[in-house]
Amino acid sequence: MTLAAAVPADPDPDSLFDAFATWAAGRGLELYPAQEEALIEVVSGANVILSTPTGSGKSLVAVGAHFTALAHGRRSYYTAPIKALVSEKFFQLIEIFGAENVGMMTGDSSVNADAPIICCTAEILANIALRFGGSADLGQVVADEFHFYSEPDRGWAWQVPLLELPQAQFVLMSATLGDVSFFEKDLARRTGRPTSVVTSAQRPVPLTYRYALTPLHETMSELLNGGQAPVYVVHFAQAAAVERAQALMSINVTSRAEKDAIAEMIGDFRFSAGFGKTLSRLVRHGIGVHHAGMLPKYRRLVEQLAQAGLLKVICGTDTLGVGINVPIRTVVFSALTKYDGVRQRHLKAREFHQIAGRAGRAGFDTDGYVVVEAPDHVIENAKALEKAGDDPKKKRKITRKKAPEGFVNWTDSTFDRLVAAEPEPLTSSFRVSHSMLLNVVSRPGNAFEHMRHLLEDNHEDRPAQRKHILRAIAIYRALLAAGVVERLDEPDEQGRIVRLTVDLQFDFALNQPLSPLALAAMELLDFESPSYALDVVSIVESIVDDPRPVLSQQKFKARGEAVQAMKADGIEYEERMELLENVEHPKPLEELLGVAYASYRQGHPWVDDYRLSPKSVVRDMYERAMNFVEYVGYYQLARSEGLVLRYLADCYDTLRHTVPDEAKTEPLQDLIEWLGELVRQVDSSLLDEWEALRHPGDSDTAHAAPALPEGPPPVTRNERAFRVLVRNQLFRRVELAARRAYHELGELDASSGWDAVAWEDAMEDYFDEHSSLGTGPDARGPALFMIEKEQGAWRVRQIFDDPAGDHDWGISAEVDLAASDEAGVAVVRVTAVDQL
């Protein structure tokens, strides 16, 4: 029975509380005092600010709040800072309330959007608040991780609902809120409801803190031998987390029986080359790695092995503090400093407590442990003093190690201060944008009054408010001059004296806000051009968020190649350095897109809020005819392969849903199918997640994660995409042959008898007849690629685009279909390079 069925006929506060407590008890959940207090306030109609430690059951209070709103026929919204948490909560609430009662909106996906309970990102709710204000169909807001209110770039989305939704009951939750007296008074004033602050320093699982003066290997051995595993070792860089995990391989973490259990649970899970092989070795030793740069399937594998009690150590980053589902008994800080993008600094109290609070599992542990490692030089000095003992002469002879130059030091006093410190007060991060004005103008009523309230009654100080007012005036004048809004002589039937002259989609400014510009730019392309499909890809790539590690590596490699070319040309060092300043990552169609952006901006001034960013990742991968593993290896992106995959998946989804069907030529359809299959074969969980979100009620177990991430479907199943994969494999050899890169060709095909010598012998015969080998759009077109299908194999021939147009030379190969399904890529064996 779902919780929705437990709604009492007469939803007075006492009956609501009793019904919910009975349901919780039926699931073996006994309410803590802070949970009881918060729920009593919620069912009584008060706003609640819930500031209790991690693991104290804030999620159960949120469920009780949704139950209360459902009982009163009010619509409730749950918000979280990241889409992964939104979708996780979506499936949890489906299990509790039933699929018909829960919907989700993230900007990327909209599922059951008319449901009485909606899970969404903070920006979605902020948009609703701006567009509908007090008339929004909304009676309750549950804002999780409310400390994001202080985030400089995104905090506005946590503030706007507080300003614009006076009809709502608010439940604001976080483990690290600090002093909330301002919010208590502000919410009561705005909503007319009493506002209760529920705090508790009492953790269900108490924490023990320790400052360690032993090297990390010794500390870890002590923790493991003392029964304090699982241990999460926190780093503030992904590379450091992986390096630490590899270093800990020297410790005997697990028994033989535990290693056998790990191997049995892993089964035939597919680890790709590169980082996958590293992770395979680590987890089989009982050590996991967890950070945002990993493929989703690897993160899920680590989480599920940990949940099964099979991983004793996990090395990861501070993303642990944002609801990562990993059971932990001990948190070890490798440092108390982090680089924040500008400088190296000490952790803030909020950051420290957010991470430390993950230690200790309610229902599993009676104690949790937090250990902070002293800096390396401090540990070495302590070791030397210990070795000297009580001998004054030996102590005087000790040469104390100093901190490295520029090192931001921390001490036991730093540690003690962080343990004792309350989280810093939340600070306002309000900002004004074009999309804010457009949403407010689209609201019924007087837009000037709506904006005056938003600009003069926010949480900023008066000088900041004046700056926001001036920016709003400038934006309004630009919209007026562009004809996007118009001033009316008389109020219209909805009381507007300013109105939009354009229609805005509901998720305006959330899901690829530059999509309309992309559509306009596509109209500038030549539909018949051989490069049309790739040019469409370049337009789409220009509106998708930058994958910074990829672009950085592309720039690095481009500069390395430029240096070699300039040295060969005899350019002097000083001039080389000057010329290198102009070398960037590839930016196809940069000039055309710049012109389109400037033209589009004249009629759509709000695009000033967003940056067009020409780049080439999908196109680069396709033109190089590389698969995912080859591309990651080529640019040395093993630590960021999860980010690369997410980028490819975003491009795939944008291509599918932004490009009109009439603009999708056969080559473009092929390319889209190739990209989708590439993503699916690397890690099908991203696409599976989309499908699960779109069809949440298809299965009674839709909300449940599989025991382990399931493998992708056979790569040969999608014949259209597989054909492109095979064609790319052959064309990659054409490109290498055109550059006479025989060593690289030999690395690809030595196992099938075509080493570097064999390739050179065959291709030099070709170059005796022809001066060059074409690699342009015509060379890779379908007309020069032949397939003969047989049982279990394809026989293929890639014809060379020779300058004479004879088309009598080419590469013949055999494609093993069964081996391709097993590998997830096209397995090609070259059989001949010859003239027919």
Side-chain angles (χ1 to χ4, degrees):
M1 182 179 75
T2 66
L3 181 54
V7 171
D10 182 13
D12 63 88
D14 289 339
S15 59
L16 278 173
F17 182 86
D18 290 343
F20 185 78
T22 301
W23 171 84
R27 293 174 68 116
L29 302 172
E30 183 178 350
L31 299 178
Y32 300 129
Q35 289 175 312
E36 284 193 350
E37 182 184 350
L39 286 167
I40 288 170
E41 296 293 344
V42 167
V43 299
S44 300
N47 299 312
V48 173
I49 302 174
L50 182 60
S51 180
T52 58
T54 302
S56 60
K58 287 185 287 294
S59 293
L60 191 62
V61 174
V63 171
H66 293 306
F67 175 70
T68 301
L70 191 66
H72 288 292
R74 299 198 304 265
R75 206 162 189 222
S76 60
Y77 279 72
Y78 167 89
T79 72
I82 58 177
K83 295 172 186 175
L85 288 182
V86 171
S87 61
E88 180 181 303
K89 184 62 65 174
F90 170 67
F91 287 116
Q92 289 175 357
L93 292 179
I94 282 177
E95 179 189 5
I96 294 170
F97 289 99
E100 70 280 5
N101 288 312
V102 186
M104 187 188 72
M105 291 184 282
T106 65
D108 291 336
S109 303
S110 179
V111 182
N112 197 17
D114 295 325
I117 300 171
I118 295 293
C119 302
C120 65
T121 52
E123 284 82 359
I124 285 282
L125 180 63
N127 250 22
I128 292 171
L130 290 170
R131 193 170 297 194
F132 300 103
S135 64
D137 179 17
L138 180 154
Q140 184 190 83
V141 173
V142 178
D144 206 354
E145 306 289 352
F146 186 71
H147 57 274
F148 272 76
Y149 170 95
S150 285
E151 286 289 304
D153 294 329
R154 301 182 61 202
W156 68 272
W158 275 261
Q159 182 173 162
V160 162
L162 307 183
L163 308 178
E164 295 296 297
L165 299 174
Q167 77 277 26
Q169 177 189 30
F170 286 91
V171 180
L172 312 180
M173 307 190 305
S174 173
T176 55
L177 286 180
D179 179 11
V180 293
S181 55
F182 167 80
F183 295 100
E184 180 183 7
K185 296 173 184 174
D186 188 69
L187 274 177
R189 174 177 70 85
R190 293 177 188 277
T191 65
R193 298 173 183 267
T195 299
S196 176
V197 178
V198 179
T199 60
S200 173
Q202 186 69 35
R203 286 176 50 95
V205 180
L207 294 182
T208 300
Y209 295 90
R210 179 161 69 90
Y211 190 71
L213 288 167
T214 50
L216 187 61
H217 270 62
E218 292 182 24
T219 304
M220 293 301 297
S221 295
E222 181 183 336
L223 293 171
L224 293 169
N225 293 332
Q228 291 171 249
V231 182
Y232 196 103
V233 188
V234 182
H235 303 78
F236 297 96
Q238 295 174 3
V242 176
E243 289 166 7
R244 182 77 68 185
Q246 292 174 309
L248 291 174
M249 288 279 284
S250 60
I251 298 177
N252 189 17
V253 174
T254 51
S255 66
R256 180 70 262 170
E258 288 168 330
K259 289 178 181 176
D260 290 342
I262 291 171
E264 183 179 353
M265 188 169 179
I266 289 174
D268 58 357
F269 179 88
R270 184 193 289 173
F271 291 95
S272 304
F275 178 72
K277 300 303 181 187
T278 300
L279 183 64
S280 178
R281 289 193 301 272
L282 290 168
V283 295
R284 293 176 196 279
H285 195 75
I287 299 172
V289 176
H290 199 286
H291 62 71
M294 293 167 59
L295 294 177
K297 67 177 181 181
Y298 292 156
R299 290 201 303 272
R300 192 169 292 122
L301 171 68
V302 168
E303 290 168 10
Q304 290 165 356
L305 287 172
Q307 287 159 2
L310 296 175
L311 296 183
K312 301 295 181 63
V313 178
I314 302 170
C315 297
T317 57
D318 55 334
T319 53
L320 167 75
V322 191
I324 299 301
N325 186 21
V326 178
I328 300 156
R329 191 171 191 196
T330 302
V331 169
V332 175
F333 285 81
S334 62
L336 288 179
T337 60
K338 68 180 292 185
Y339 182 70
D340 62 6
V342 178
R343 61 188 175 89
Q344 195 78 14
R345 60 166 174 80
H346 288 125
L347 295 183
K348 296 177 180 177
R350 171 170 291 107
E351 294 167 331
F352 176 78
H353 288 294
Q354 195 72 28
I355 300 167
R358 295 292 167 184
R361 302 163 294 173
F364 293 90
D365 300 323
T366 56
D367 294 281
Y369 302 91
V370 178
V371 180
V372 171
E373 283 284 300
D376 290 341
H377 68 281
V378 175
I379 292 173
E380 288 188 42
N381 291 335
K383 280 282 185 184
L385 285 170
E386 183 183 1
K387 189 175 180 180
D390 296 328
D391 189 330
K393 291 182 180 179
K394 290 182 178 179
K395 285 185 177 181
R396 283 197 296 270
K397 289 181 180 179
I398 293 173
T399 303
R400 294 181 179 272
K401 293 274 187 182
K402 293 183 179 180
E405 187 176 348
F407 182 78
V408 177
N409 196 31
W410 68 92
T411 65
D412 53 349
S413 298
T414 313
F415 171 57
D416 292 338
R417 176 181 59 78
L418 286 170
V419 171
E422 289 292 319
E424 297 82 3
L426 298 175
T427 56
S428 173
S429 297
F430 188 83
R431 65 182 176 86
V432 177
S433 66
H434 288 78
S435 59
M436 175 180 281
L437 260 74
L438 288 167
N439 275 311
V440 171
V441 168
S442 70
R443 188 195 307 182
N446 187 326
F448 293 107
E449 290 302 319
H450 296 326
M451 280 304 301
R452 181 177 290 111
H453 168 261
L454 194 60
L455 294 168
E456 295 185 352
D457 194 20
N458 54 47
H459 296 165
E460 302 276 279
D461 60 26
R462 190 57 187 163
Q465 286 180 349
R466 280 195 285 268
K467 290 180 182 178
H468 295 316
I469 291 169
L470 292 174
R471 173 157 171 75
I473 292 170
I475 291 174
Y476 170 70
R477 287 173 176 167
L479 293 172
L480 197 64
V484 178
V485 301
E486 61 181 358
R487 182 76 182 261
L488 304 177
D489 295 330
E490 297 288 337
D492 66 9
E493 63 279 3
Q494 292 185 307
R496 296 186 179 97
I497 59 173
V498 176
R499 69 182 177 191
L500 296 177
T501 60
V502 296
D503 291 327
L504 299 180
Q505 71 271 24
F506 175 74
D507 58 356
F508 172 73
L510 288 171
N511 186 16
Q512 310 307 352
L514 293 178
S515 292
L517 167 61
L519 291 174
M522 287 176 202
E523 296 178 1
L524 303 177
L525 300 179
D526 179 1
F527 204 71
E528 302 298 326
S529 169
S531 66
Y532 171 79
L534 287 172
D535 290 342
V536 170
V537 169
S538 291
I539 289 174
V540 165
E541 289 202 73
S542 73
I543 67 171
V544 176
D545 289 343
D546 287 351
R548 296 190 182 281
V550 185
L551 304 186
S552 176
Q553 286 298 98
Q554 286 182 333
K555 182 176 179 179
F556 177 78
K557 187 170 274 290
R559 289 190 169 190
E561 292 170 353
V563 165
Q564 294 304 316
M566 286 187 278
K567 283 183 178 179
D569 292 340
I571 298 176
E572 294 298 324
Y573 175 81
E574 290 78 8
E575 187 178 355
R576 290 203 306 267
M577 292 301 100
E578 186 177 335
L579 291 172
L580 278 179
E581 291 299 316
N582 299 319
V583 177
E584 288 286 347
H585 60 80
K587 298 180 180 180
L589 306 186
E590 181 178 20
E591 186 175 340
L592 180 144
L593 288 167
V595 171
Y597 182 82
S599 175
Y600 190 80
R601 184 172 54 188
Q602 292 177 8
H604 308 79
W606 64 80
V607 301
D608 277 336
D609 289 342
Y610 311 100
R611 188 172 62 89
L612 194 67
S613 178
K615 51 189 169 291
S616 178
V617 178
V618 175
R619 180 170 185 156
D620 187 39
M621 183 181 291
Y622 189 83
E623 289 184 323
R624 293 183 186 278
M626 289 181 172
N627 61 37
F628 184 83
V629 172
E630 291 167 339
Y631 195 77
V632 165
Y634 181 74
Y635 284 112
Q636 299 181 347
L637 294 164
R639 295 193 187 108
S640 303
E641 58 184 7
L643 180 145
V644 178
L645 186 73
R646 172 64 70 177
Y647 174 83
L648 298 177
D650 286 347
C651 288
Y652 171 61
D653 202 41
T654 305
L655 280 165
R656 284 202 305 167
H657 295 116
T658 298
V659 181
D661 287 343
E662 59 270 18
K664 293 177 180 174
T665 60
E666 283 295 310
L668 181 55
Q669 286 278 24
D670 285 347
L671 198 152
I672 295 171
E673 288 292 324
W674 160 80
L675 182 57
E677 194 60 34
L678 183 145
V679 171
R680 187 173 289 108
Q681 291 300 321
V682 174
D683 187 342
S684 62
S685 61
L686 285 173
L687 304 188
D688 292 344
E689 180 181 309
W690 290 345
E691 292 308 312
L693 293 176
R694 288 173 181 135
H695 309 286
D698 283 358
S699 167
D700 293 337
T701 58
H703 59 273
L708 279 178
E710 297 178 352
V715 70
T716 59
R717 184 195 64 168
N718 185 337
E719 185 173 309
R720 183 172 197 165
F722 186 64
R723 178 190 289 264
V724 180
L725 291 173
V726 172
R727 190 196 308 165
N728 281 356
Q729 284 287 324
L730 271 292
F731 195 73
R732 184 176 180 201
R733 288 158 172 83
V734 171
E735 288 194 309
L736 292 172
R739 294 191 283 111
R740 290 179 164 90
Y742 302 128
H743 177 72
E744 293 178 55
L745 285 164
E747 288 182 336
L748 284 175
D749 297 314
S751 61
S752 58
W754 281 82
D755 59 12
V757 174
W759 268 103
E760 183 172 4
D761 288 344
M763 289 308 303
E764 289 308 313
D765 288 342
Y766 168 84
F767 284 119
D768 285 342
E769 291 188 27
H770 302 288
S771 59
S772 63
L773 175 57
T775 58
D778 290 333
R780 73 182 306 149
L784 298 183
F785 182 68
M786 316 296 291
I787 295 179
E788 182 182 334
K789 299 177 184 177
E790 298 181 359
Q791 187 67 33
W794 286 2
R795 298 195 183 280
V796 298
R797 184 166 177 83
Q798 175 66 57
I799 300 168
F800 288 168
D801 184 23
D802 60 86
D806 295 336
H807 295 162
D808 53 350
W809 277 85
I811 304 170
S812 297
E814 184 179 82
V815 183
D816 187 326
L817 302 185
S820 297
D821 283 337
E822 183 176 348
V825 296
V827 176
V828 174
R829 185 175 66 86
V830 173
T831 57
V833 180
D834 56 10
Q835 182 179 28
L836 296 182

